[in-house]
Amino acid sequence: MKTDLFESDHELFRQTVRGFVERHVIPKMEKWDADRLIDRDTWLAAGQQGLLGLAVPEEFGGPGETDYRFRVVIQTEIARVGASALQSGFSTNDDIVLNYLLRHANSEQKSRWLSGFVTGETIGAIAMTEPGAGSDLRAAQTTAVRDGDEWVINGSKTFITSGMLADLVIVFAVTDRDLGSRGFSLFVVEDGTPGFTRGRKLDKVGLHAQDTAELFFDNVRIPAGNLLGEVGGGFGYLMQSLPLERLGIGIAGQVSAEAVFDWTLDYVKDRRAFGKHIGEFQGLGFTLAELQTSIEVSRAYIDRCVREYNSGTLTAVDAAKAKLWGSELQGKVIDAGVQMHGGYGYMMEYPVAKAYIDARIQRIYGGTNEIMKEIIHRDLMRS
């Protein structure tokens, strides 16, 4: 795919990522799906290869690499083999959980928690969604009450990515209902804390290898030092961090669309019907032409957003556009890919079929695409 986003350092890094994917990802993908879990050895191997916690400062054991293009390389190479569940897990760790810690943890907290994100020893989760609160986070019911030198958390969360394996969970909770959006705070709950339990490993339509769970907090007592940032700052912190999460989803959609397009193009050049390759039929040919054009135009916008994120100028509205467009494009390309594969496109042994079920969540998590449209709409009305 045509892009001038990357430089020589990124291409050298790509070779490292590609080697990791060939050795540690491709041979394990079927087992991950069967187990509904990605083994910890894979995380540790990624850490040993320097693929995790890129933005962690050197003083806390990381490389201190803030150029997000290196993360894009990782996403691209994982998408190339259709390992969407692994991409989701890595993105949750680096683009979401780690992002909150880098932004809002104090020095003592960073000393405690950051090094594990580099080595692969710490898997993180973000616990926002509840059975009755998805895109509308102000409806959250999980509470945190101060009791001396501790906070006591009660409530439940659902649809939590990496919920079964998580060593550290950032919990969004109500601290003062009367203060509106200033009445929410973030807390770090560590594995093994009494009262913190995991429910079902949820049975999803796609992303089977990505463990997704229900989490329960029954009088969970955590030290006051596990408050992340300031009391009442939780909702604002979410607003600060959601642009990177949404950009990550948009990039995942883009690189998945590129991978599926390549698989499909190879297939229609090889598959024959009525005496010629099926890609030679004008109907399929016009669809391929439209898809390639859409992918390349989309890539230009995604690349712009990555550059803006690197420079600190990416807006929440532009991130919403990236998430909306990238995930919609992904769905369109994959649906066409399945159709062009014919009956084989419906067989799970073909990567396009797996991509089809894995991609559907992209238009839902990180804020539904309807919410993305509302964000863009409100911005238009303010102009």
Side-chain angles (χ1 to χ4, degrees):
M1 186 55 58
K2 296 178 182 179
T3 177
D4 61 356
L5 182 65
F6 304 113
E7 300 174 14
S8 58
D9 286 352
H10 305 107
E11 296 304 334
L12 286 173
F13 183 65
R14 187 186 304 279
Q15 297 309 310
T16 298
V17 180
R18 190 165 290 182
F20 166 79
V21 168
E22 291 174 354
R23 292 190 303 273
H24 298 284
V25 177
I26 295 173
K28 295 182 177 181
M29 288 171 61
E30 288 187 14
K31 187 176 190 306
W32 291 343
D33 281 345
D35 293 345
R36 303 292 173 112
L37 204 70
I38 295 168
D39 62 281
R40 282 186 174 271
D41 286 346
T42 300
W43 287 85
L44 295 173
Q48 290 170 357
Q49 292 292 305
L51 308 187
L52 302 177
L54 300 184
V56 172
E58 291 182 16
E59 63 185 296
F60 299 112
E65 181 54 73
T66 58
D67 182 351
Y68 191 70
R69 290 178 291 179
F70 288 99
R71 280 282 303 123
V72 179
V73 170
I74 294 171
Q75 290 166 298
T76 302
E77 291 305 310
I78 292 175
R80 190 175 58 85
V81 300
S84 300
L86 182 66
Q87 185 275 327
S88 175
F90 282 3
S91 290
T92 297
N93 244 39
D94 271 31
D95 295 346
I96 305 177
V97 180
L98 181 57
N99 186 41
Y100 280 96
L101 296 176
L102 290 172
R103 282 176 174 269
H104 308 299
N106 58 39
S107 294
E108 184 276 330
Q109 291 171 329
K110 289 178 179 178
S111 296
R112 272 198 283 160
W113 295 323
L114 292 191
S115 64
F117 284 82
V118 180
T119 62
E121 294 172 287
T122 300
I123 298 174
I126 180 82
M128 293 190 288
T129 303
E130 299 183 5
S135 294
D136 180 13
L137 290 172
R138 289 184 177 90
Q141 297 299 309
T142 297
T143 60
V145 178
R146 185 69 183 258
D147 183 18
D149 292 332
E150 297 179 317
W151 286 91
V152 183
I153 301 176
N154 282 283
S156 64
K157 300 290 182 176
T158 193
F159 308 147
I160 307 305
T161 299
S162 299
M164 299 302 294
L165 286 179
D167 305 289
L168 176 156
V169 181
I170 297 176
V171 180
F172 180 73
V174 180
T175 44
D176 192 333
R177 181 70 67 187
D178 295 334
L179 293 180
S181 61
R182 291 288 302 170
F184 300 92
S185 305
L186 298 181
F187 301 89
V188 175
V189 176
E190 297 169 271
D191 184 34
T193 303
F196 168 45
T197 58
R198 306 162 206 260
R200 296 179 296 150
K201 185 192 298 182
L202 299 174
D203 189 12
K204 307 186 300 294
V205 170
L207 293 180
H208 292 155
Q210 174 59 66
D211 65 297
T212 305
E214 300 169 317
L215 304 181
F216 299 98
F217 306 88
D218 183 12
N219 289 319
V220 172
R221 289 183 172 271
I222 60 171
N226 279 30
L227 169 71
L228 189 60
E230 297 180 356
V231 175
F235 196 83
Y237 297 157
L238 262 60
M239 296 305 102
Q240 293 173 30
S241 293
L242 279 171
L244 178 56
E245 178 180 354
R246 288 167 178 166
L247 174 60
I249 295 170
I251 292 168
Q254 176 72 33
V255 296
S256 173
E258 292 173 2
V260 172
F261 182 84
D262 289 344
W263 303 339
T264 302
L265 188 60
D266 288 343
Y267 182 82
V268 300
K269 285 180 176 180
D270 181 67
R271 178 74 172 177
R272 298 181 66 87
F274 303 105
K276 59 182 178 180
H277 297 112
I278 63 173
E280 297 178 61
F281 289 98
Q282 191 177 71
L284 268 63
F286 281 7
T287 299
L288 289 167
E290 291 172 1
L291 293 177
Q292 184 183 44
T293 302
S294 296
I295 288 170
E296 292 193 8
V297 171
S298 176
R299 166 57 82 170
Y301 182 75
I302 293 290
D303 286 359
R304 192 191 90 184
C305 287
V306 171
R307 292 191 177 96
E308 289 179 352
Y309 178 76
N310 271 353
S311 67
T313 60
L314 178 67
T315 68
V317 175
D318 283 349
K321 293 174 184 175
K323 193 270 184 185
L324 170 65
W325 184 263
S327 59
E328 294 287 348
L329 176 69
Q330 179 185 20
K332 179 179 178 181
V333 172
I334 294 175
D335 188 70
V338 169
Q339 192 71 19
M340 291 186 194
H341 277 75
Y344 292 107
Y346 209 63
M347 299 295 108
M348 290 302 294
E349 63 192 89
Y350 277 71
V352 70
K354 187 171 183 294
Y356 183 77
I357 60 173
D358 285 348
R360 188 59 185 87
I361 189 61
Q362 288 269 105
R363 286 173 270 170
I364 297 173
Y365 61 13
T368 65
N369 280 8
E370 289 72 23
I371 295 294
M372 299 304 100
K373 292 175 184 178
E374 184 62 24
I375 291 169
I376 299 163
H377 171 222
R378 288 180 182 177
D379 183 66
L380 289 171
M381 293 300 100
R382 282 194 296 265
S383 301

